Amino acid sequence: PSALPGSSTMSEQPAWLESGGDNPFTDESVTTTAEAPAPPANTQPYEAPSWAQTAGEDAAKQAATQAAQDPAVQRAVIGAAGGIAQDQANQAMEAQKKKFSEMPKPWFIMRILNWLILVPLAYVAWAKAFESGGDEPMNTYVVAFYIFTFTILICCFEVMSGISFIAQNLAKMFGFMYTVTGRLIFLVMTGLLVISFENDGAYIVTGCVLGVALYNVAVMLYYPEWTKQTYTEHAAHFNDDNIVNNHV
């Protein structure tokens, strides 16, 4: 059929579509704007001027100085430090209570005997050296000095070992006291020094020392884990496992 008068066929296109010149979507300004690259980002971090940094540091130092000089702050710091020290003391006391509660009775008796032997040892040495009127030979005073020294060592080992400074030095310098063999030799040698005084008191004290030495050996052999534990607690501040691993 023929087309209607005054109309174009379906195959015909508008003149502006064929030429493209009047098409608003081909406008170069629109295309250029859409494809324009983004402005470069500022990658450099911001740095405050040197005078601002110096002023901030000075202000912080001044504030810290004023706070340190404030009596209220000082009291708070002292109170906090005192509270921490008190907590540590309480914890140490609780640990000692727990240790004594778990300690085997024979081990506790051994420590008591070691404490009790200190008195006769010190007395027999003092009596021989200072109650003889100064007529004793020089070797007597030397032996008395050694007995006093051994007495102090036993006292530190059994009575003052709760002080960490003393305990770690005992473990470091007198490690033989934590072994069965070393403990036996030490006490037997102490007894032999006492018996060299050759009097009735010396003979009695020597017998007591040798009896305590045998009891120490028996208890340490029966409770080897407590021997290790004692050394481990005293030697907590330095590394030396030789005595722990060779306690017998």
Side-chain angles (χ1 to χ4, degrees), residues 125-126 128-148 197:
W126 176 272
K128 187 65 175 180
F130 298 101
E131 294 183 2
S132 60
D135 297 332
E136 297 293 335
M138 188 62 188
N139 63 334
T140 300
Y141 298 98
V142 174
V143 171
F145 171 77
Y146 276 109
I147 293 175
F148 273 121
F197 288 154

Side-chain angles (χ1 to χ4, degrees), residues 8-158:
S8 60
T9 62
M10 295 295 293
S11 61
E12 294 180 354
Q13 297 180 351
W16 64 267
L17 185 59
E18 293 178 355
S19 63
D22 296 333
N23 186 354
F25 298 104
T26 61
D27 190 352
E28 293 182 359
S29 63
V30 174
T31 304
T32 304
T33 302
E35 296 177 354
N42 184 11
T43 58
Q44 297 294 332
Y46 173 76
E47 294 184 0
S50 59
W51 61 267
Q53 296 179 1
T54 304
E57 293 176 357
D58 293 341
K61 292 179 180 179
Q62 184 177 2
T65 302
Q66 292 177 352
Q69 296 175 351
D70 189 352
V73 175
Q74 293 177 355
R75 287 193 297 270
V77 172
I78 294 174
I84 294 174
Q86 184 64 35
D87 291 342
Q88 292 177 347
N90 292 336
Q91 291 175 2
M93 186 176 298
E94 291 297 328
Q96 288 294 327
K97 290 181 180 179
K98 182 179 180 181
K99 179 181 177 180
F100 278 110
S101 65
E102 297 175 351
M103 182 181 297
K105 188 175 180 180
W107 190 278
F108 180 76
I109 294 175
M110 179 188 71
R111 296 195 62 179
I112 294 295
L113 292 176
N114 291 341
W115 295 340
L116 294 178
I117 201 65
L118 299 176
V119 177
L121 279 174
Y123 174 76
V124 72
W126 176 272
K128 187 65 175 180
F130 298 101
E131 294 183 2
S132 60
D135 297 332
E136 297 293 335
M138 188 62 188
N139 63 334
T140 300
Y141 298 98
V142 174
V143 171
F145 171 77
Y146 276 109
I147 293 175
F148 273 121
T149 303
F150 293 166
T151 302
I152 294 174
L153 176 58
I154 297 174
C155 178
C156 292
F157 185 80
E158 294 294 350

